[in-house]
């Protein structure tokens, strides 16, 4: 089935893990890469859903596809599992927090000492959970693309994630590069596919990178 006949779920933005009523753990993802992908999928005629963490909602003004807001990584997992179905294309451009506080304080934590230790617990891995569902035969004909935001040994880690999370494709962005990654309007992507192919894209606006990523997905779906 070609891409335009598929349901495309894109995730974008950060997640937020509350420590107490006034403080949280998060990261600098703006949601721009995810929005660029959702825009590109929608314009290709795909039924498009954008699931996003806490981002500047003005970025979503005028969008004609469905958007769902979530806050934590646990909520993102829940939304993805609820929405994904046979034949979907899932593109995980979100930057979910890998850890959350083991306990959330219901009162503001007071500044009592020179050090404060907060115990963190590992969050669920959404792509691994999707891979488990797929392995159990619950999601037929899906295509899953992940992103890898890396700063060192970038290729090794990206290929490791492609294999570990049983992805069809991974988009590596070396976020230490000046024109790539969190909050920027441009990105530098290398696409690795299951089976070994590799495409290096030069620096380009996130929207153009999104088009190239969708071209790569389209090519895989037609193969
Ligand atoms: O939002 P922008 O400001 O435009 O920035 C874009 C971006 C840099 C956030 C984006 O291009 C990007 O790289 N997103 C992935 C960030 C990330 O979490 O990378 P990771 O290497 O930690 O995770 C690998 C993959 O696993 C990602 O597809 C991620 O969505 C997914 N993941 C991560 C953690 C988790 N608990 N579950 C997951 O499924």
């Amino acid at each position: 089935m070609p891409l335009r006949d598929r349901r495309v779920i894109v995730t974008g933005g950060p997640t937020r893990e509350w420590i107490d009523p006034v403080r949280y753990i998060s990261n600098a993802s703006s949601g721009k890469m995810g929005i660029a992908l959702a825009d590109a999928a929608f314009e290709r005629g795909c039924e498009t859903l954008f699931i996003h963490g806490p981002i500047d909602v003005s970025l979503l003004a005028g969008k004609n596809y469905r958007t769902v807001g979530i806050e934590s990584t646990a909520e993102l997992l829940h939304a993805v599992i609820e929405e994904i179905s046979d034949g979907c294309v899932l593109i995980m451009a979100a930057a979910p927090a890998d850890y959350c506080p083991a306990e959330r304080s219901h009162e503001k934590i007071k500044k009592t000492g020179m050090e404060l230790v907060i115990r963190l617990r590992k969050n669920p891995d959404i792509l691994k959970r999707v891979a488990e569902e797929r392995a159990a035969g619950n999601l037929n004909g899906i295509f899953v693309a992940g992103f890898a935001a890396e700063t060192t040994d970038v290729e090794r880690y990206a290929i490791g994630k492609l294999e570990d999370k049983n992805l069809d494709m991974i988009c590596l962005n070396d976020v230490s590069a000046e024109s790539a990654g969190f909050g920027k309007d441009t990105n530098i992507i290398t696409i690795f596919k299951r089976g070994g192919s590799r495409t290096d894209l030069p620096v380009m606006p996130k929207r153009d990178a999104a088009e190239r990523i969708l071209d790569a997905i389209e090519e895989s779906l037609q193969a």
Side-chain angles (χ1 to χ4, degrees), residues 11-14 27-35 55 73 76 91-99 123-128 145-150 161 165 167 170-173 175 180-184 187 189 206:
T11 71
N27 60 67
S29 171
S30 62
K32 288 177 187 172
M33 191 66 239
I35 292 170
I55 57 172
T73 297
L76 180 57
I91 310 176
M92 283 286 297
D98 291 316
Y99 290 87
N123 268 329
D125 189 296
I126 296 140
L127 285 173
K128 280 194 180 173
F147 270 73
E150 306 292 348
K161 285 175 185 173
K165 300 184 188 227
L167 306 175
I170 196 153
C171 304
L172 161 66
N173 35 187
V175 293
F182 293 86
K184 309 278 170 53
N187 214 348
I189 300 272
K206 282 183 172 166

Side-chain angles (χ1 to χ4, degrees), residues 5-9 47 49 66 83-85 87-89:
D5 295 333
R6 298 211 178 216
R7 197 158 158 259
V8 176
I9 301 174
E47 182 190 338
L49 169 65
R66 191 157 76 92
E83 292 289 347
I84 194 167
S85 56
C88 272
V89 172

